């Protein structure tokens, strides 16, 4: 069996953060019913890039293993469908603007009346409380306001966003963790709960060691590119063939690194504190040494010395890497008559079924089946369709 088999999640979320979270739970075995707008669906169904079979790669990346039903929450019949689904679900996930579902009678206070054991998670940009509660935002807004962008960039340069939507993706991880924690609490108490998750809060919580530096020393870490504010050497270096190699060496690696790169005159700097004082000298010496080797030569020399290092790979190099392939990080997934590559979840189980990528749903493909499981007969389903509620 899969770890989360038997868990039912009602997914009223859209775009990236929460759909990513519910996909993780779906591939771990939870039954996830994704509610989408009739005729349109999740906005990401229209986002680039598209596979050659006409489906959004963006949507497929965040919605595998779910069931799709189409429900219009503006219609009375649609709202009743949500109440009936909530009555049979363990959890509900939504990322509507603050107060939007309350105005439709679908907030936690209303739905706990039909299911006292329901865990209800609300994901918003700024949370249900505080002076920014009504504000809108996207991934890069939270990167900016949460400190990540201010910490990222080259020496002396301006702020830079990472190459991935880090605020969205890490929010998805926080949502999955919070939901599982609340469900564990529900199992212990017998009562559901409301989880208020703010994407800004999620980014602030990730500041960890940067915040520790501020709290301990009163220092705001400067932007240092690939270097580390408190550890030397940690940086990426350009090699003779124009490729980059990243090196992270602690005290125990320093002497072997100096021998490998012919930097014997620096070997006496055997503590990190000493190397911090000589950062510029060390970086200049390592830059010169590695600039005379190809990346493959540098990797071979440093691997032989047991010094932690890794080539800076482009995305296509990552998915083709032999270790990534051997670990099964990329799999083929069916979508109708077509197939597409997808990324697997990053863990393997013994004693439980390993999670594997499953197809994403066609818009509304499961509407009638899910409604029938609630006891709706064909006449009632037809009436909802006539109303425009499904």
């Amino acid at each position: 069996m899969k770890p989360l088999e038997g868990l039912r999640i009602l997914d009223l979320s859209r775009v990236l953060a929460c759909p990513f979270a519910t996909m993780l739970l779906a591939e771990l075995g939870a039954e996830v019913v994704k509610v989408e707008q009739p005729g349109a669906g999740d906005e990401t169904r229209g986002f680039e890039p598209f596979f050659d079979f006409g489906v959004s790669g963006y949507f497929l990346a965040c919605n595998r293993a779910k069931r799709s039903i189409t429900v219009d929450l503006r219609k009375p019949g649609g709202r009743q469908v949500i109440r009936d689904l909530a009555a049979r679900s363990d959890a509900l996930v939504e990322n509507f603007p603050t107060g939007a579902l309350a105005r439709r009678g679908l907030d936690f206070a209303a739905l706990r009346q039909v299911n006292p054991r329901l865990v209800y998670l609300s994901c918003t940009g700024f949370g249900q409380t505080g002076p920014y509660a009504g504000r809108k935002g996207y991934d890069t807004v939270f990167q900016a306001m949460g400190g990540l962008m201010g910490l990222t960039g080259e020496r002396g340069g301006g702020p830079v966003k990472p190459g991935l939507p880090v605020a969205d993706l890490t929010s998805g991880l926080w949502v999955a963790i919070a939901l599982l924690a609340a469900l564990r609490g529900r199992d212990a108490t017998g009562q559901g709960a409301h989880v208020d998750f703010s994407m800004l809060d999620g980014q602030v919580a990730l500041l960890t060691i940067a915040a520790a530096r501020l709290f301990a020393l009163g220092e705001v870490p400067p932007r240092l590119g690939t270097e580390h504010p408190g550890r030397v050497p940690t940086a990426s270096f350009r090699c003779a063939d124009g490729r980059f190699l990243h090196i992270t060496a602690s005290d125990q690696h320093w002497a072997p690194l100096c021998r490998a790169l012919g930097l014997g005159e620096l070997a006496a700097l055997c503590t990190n504190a000493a190397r911090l004082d000589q950062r510029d000298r060390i970086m200049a010496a390592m830059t010169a040494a590695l600039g005379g080797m190809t990346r493959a030569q540098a990797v071979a020399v440093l691997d032989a010395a047991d010094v932690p290092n890794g080539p800076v790979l482009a995305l296509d190099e990552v998915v083709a890497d032999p270790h990534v392939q051997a670990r099964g990080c990329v799999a083929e997934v069916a979508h109708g008559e077509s197939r597409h590559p997808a990324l697997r979840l990053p863990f393997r189980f013994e004693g439980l079924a390993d999670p594997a990528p499953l197809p994403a749903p066609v818009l509304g493909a499961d509407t009638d089946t899910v409604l029938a499981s609630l006891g709706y007969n064909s006449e009632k389903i037809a009436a909802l369709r006539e109303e425009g509620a499904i």
Side-chain angles (χ1 to χ4, degrees):
M1 87 179 261
K2 290 187 176 182
L4 299 183
E5 275 187 29
L7 192 66
R8 293 179 176 176
I9 299 172
L10 180 56
D11 184 3
L12 273 63
S13 69
R14 312 174 311 286
V15 191
L16 180 50
C18 288
F20 181 59
T22 52
M23 183 188 74
L24 303 181
L25 302 176
E27 292 200 334
L28 286 168
E31 178 189 352
V32 175
V33 175
K34 181 178 179 69
V35 177
E36 302 187 69
Q37 182 69 19
D42 189 317
E43 297 95 307
T44 60
R45 288 187 182 271
F47 285 10
E48 294 182 344
F50 292 91
F51 282 97
D52 57 9
F53 48 88
V55 178
S56 165
Y58 195 118
F59 179 83
L60 295 180
C62 304
N63 289 284
R64 298 190 304 266
K66 303 177 186 180
R67 306 171 78 187
S68 170
I69 68 169
T70 52
V71 180
D72 191 336
L73 305 188
R74 297 170 297 185
K75 307 290 185 180
R79 294 193 289 273
Q80 188 57 49
V81 168
I82 298 303
R83 294 186 190 98
D84 291 340
L85 284 167
R88 300 194 182 193
S89 298
D90 293 288
L92 181 151
V93 178
E94 60 94 3
N95 61 352
F96 280 76
T98 302
L101 289 181
R103 291 190 290 274
R104 292 171 175 149
L106 298 176
D107 58 339
F108 175 63
L111 294 184
R112 75 186 306 181
Q113 302 303 313
V114 300
N115 182 357
R117 289 174 55 82
L118 183 69
V119 168
Y120 187 116
L121 187 144
S122 298
C123 170
T124 56
F126 296 95
Q128 304 293 311
T129 61
Y132 302 158
R135 289 180 62 171
K136 305 295 192 298
Y138 289 100
D139 169 86
T140 48
V141 171
F142 307 122
Q143 287 189 37
M145 295 183 68
L148 175 61
M149 201 179 289
L151 292 167
T152 307
E154 295 297 331
R155 282 174 178 258
V160 173
K161 75 176 186 68
L164 289 171
V166 174
D168 277 330
L169 295 173
T170 55
S171 289
L173 299 178
W174 285 127
V175 166
I177 293 168
L179 199 68
L180 293 174
L183 286 165
R184 176 66 183 90
R186 185 278 309 269
D187 291 344
T189 66
Q191 294 296 312
H194 182 225
V195 181
D196 170 11
F197 173 74
S198 153
M199 292 180 68
L200 179 61
D201 292 359
Q203 289 309 289
V204 172
L206 289 175
L207 292 174
T208 55
I209 56 173
R213 191 170 192 85
L214 175 66
F215 298 154
L217 303 176
E219 293 180 3
V220 175
R223 288 188 285 274
L224 292 173
T226 60
E227 295 182 54
H228 192 286
R231 178 188 286 181
V232 176
T234 291
S236 297
F237 299 88
R238 184 187 292 271
C239 296
D241 54 3
R243 298 184 175 189
F244 284 87
L245 180 69
H246 190 81
I247 298 171
T248 298
S250 298
D251 289 351
Q252 68 268 32
H253 306 117
W254 180 242
L257 184 147
C258 288
R259 288 193 294 271
L261 298 184
L263 306 178
E265 74 281 3
L266 298 176
L269 301 173
C270 55
T271 67
N272 188 62
R275 293 192 299 276
L276 279 170
D277 286 340
Q278 297 290 319
R279 179 193 292 270
D280 291 345
R281 179 185 173 200
I282 289 170
M283 292 297 294
M286 291 183 64
T287 297
L290 290 160
M293 304 178 183
T294 66
R295 189 174 72 180
Q297 289 170 337
V299 168
V301 166
L302 294 173
D303 280 354
D306 203 26
V307 174
N309 74 91
V312 179
L313 299 179
L315 182 57
D316 56 343
E317 294 177 297
V318 174
V319 297
D321 183 87
H323 186 79
V324 170
Q325 290 286 323
R327 292 286 296 169
C329 298
V330 182
E332 288 283 320
V333 184
H335 190 84
E337 297 299 316
S338 302
R339 299 186 69 80
H340 65 91
L343 303 179
R344 290 185 62 184
L345 300 191
F347 28 73
R348 307 291 177 260
F349 294 103
E350 288 189 26
L352 291 168
D354 268 342
L358 297 171
V362 174
L363 178 62
D366 305 291
T367 301
D368 287 13
T369 302
V370 170
L371 293 180
S373 73
L374 298 175
Y376 287 35
N377 59 29
S378 57
E379 291 80 10
K380 188 170 184 179
I381 294 173
L384 287 170
R385 196 159 272 124
E386 179 68 22
E387 180 193 355
I390 61 172

